[in-house]
Amino acid sequence: MQYLFDENGRRYLDAFAGIVTVSCGHCRPEILNAITEQSKLLQHDTTIYLHHAIADFAEALASKMPGKLKVVYFVNSGSEANELAMMMARLYTGNLGMISLSNACHGGNSGTLGLTALNTWKYPIPQGEIHHVEKLRGFIAETIQGVGGALELAPGYLKLVYDIVRKADGLCIADEVQTGFGRRGSNYWGFETQGVIPDIVTMAK
């Protein structure tokens, strides 16, 4: 459960556990049993085919969201969710400029690599030119930068930035891939600790 073993049987204490996807440990019996039982009921599903579980899950997610955040769209990964959020912001605003933070990690797709600001997670190829944003599409931020070193935003930071972004007609995107689903302990969503409601929330894992 808390240990990993290499091909020679050498035991390691897992103090990292991946990017919050296996933070419950390895091969825990109750989790393996839940996976087995789920596979007996429904092994694979997709949003191409309607199934009540999709709608049930969407309703459950929407019930956890504040304000008017009640529309759910399922995709394959956090990278894809952030890619979709950028596209939605571009379609809504008609603008191209995106703002992200230093140390940010928003995914490995071509568009999200442009938002990512960690050289250990980027390919050494240009992801667009640096320029001053005039017509703003949106602003994206994690409430705690996970890959960037578990850095927490200053209190009130998102409220200040969201106000500026909205005055420039941009959309505010909260990347909750690593901070959502109660992982902070105090709130279900990371952005709630900042007292803001984003226009788009992305999540995964």
Side-chain angles (χ1 to χ4, degrees):
M1 289 184 269
Q2 72 271 32
Y3 297 110
L4 289 173
F5 298 86
D6 67 15
E7 67 275 10
N8 299 316
R10 186 173 177 184
R11 187 177 74 172
Y12 296 87
L13 175 63
D14 184 8
F16 183 59
I19 306 176
V20 302
T21 53
V22 290
S23 55
C24 52
H26 304 275
C27 298
R28 292 185 65 88
E30 62 270 31
I31 294 174
L32 289 177
N33 290 338
I35 293 170
T36 301
E37 291 305 312
Q38 178 59 50
S39 294
K40 290 177 184 176
L41 294 171
L42 183 66
Q43 193 173 47
H44 171 73
D45 200 12
T46 171
T47 53
I48 295 172
Y49 309 109
L50 291 178
H51 188 277
H52 69 84
I54 297 170
D56 292 345
F57 184 45
E59 285 183 2
L61 275 178
S63 73
K64 294 287 188 182
M65 288 290 176
K68 296 180 180 178
L69 290 168
K70 301 301 177 194
V71 176
V72 177
Y73 192 103
F74 292 113
V75 292
N76 184 57
S77 66
S79 296
E80 196 173 331
N82 286 332
E83 200 76 48
L84 175 65
M86 286 196 300
M87 184 184 73
M88 291 167 63
R90 182 175 179 182
L91 289 170
Y92 183 80
T93 65
N95 299 328
L96 297 175
M98 281 293 300
I99 297 173
S100 68
L101 301 177
S102 298
N103 267 356
C105 182
H106 295 291
N109 299 352
S110 60
T112 55
L113 270 178
L115 296 174
T116 297
L118 292 165
N119 64 356
T120 54
W121 287 77
K122 289 183 82 150
Y123 293 105
I125 56 175
Q127 295 295 332
E129 297 179 6
I130 298 171
H131 61 281
H132 296 286
V133 174
E134 294 175 357
K135 294 184 177 179
L136 183 61
R137 178 190 345 179
F139 167 79
I140 186 169
E142 307 153 276
T143 7
I144 295 178
Q145 294 181 328
V147 177
L151 301 176
E152 192 168 357
L153 298 178
Y157 176 80
L158 282 186
K159 185 170 186 344
L160 178 65
V161 174
Y162 278 22
D163 287 345
I164 293 169
V165 169
R166 286 176 172 147
K167 283 176 185 172
D169 297 324
L171 295 183
C172 300
I173 303 168
D175 183 336
E176 293 282 338
V177 170
Q178 293 191 44
T179 54
F181 300 104
R183 293 188 187 109
R184 289 191 51 129
S186 59
N187 298 80
Y188 202 77
W189 304 110
F191 64 80
E192 291 177 310
T193 64
Q194 291 270 322
V196 296
I197 298 178
D199 301 301
I200 299 173
V201 179
T202 60
M203 63 196 77
K205 297 178 173 64

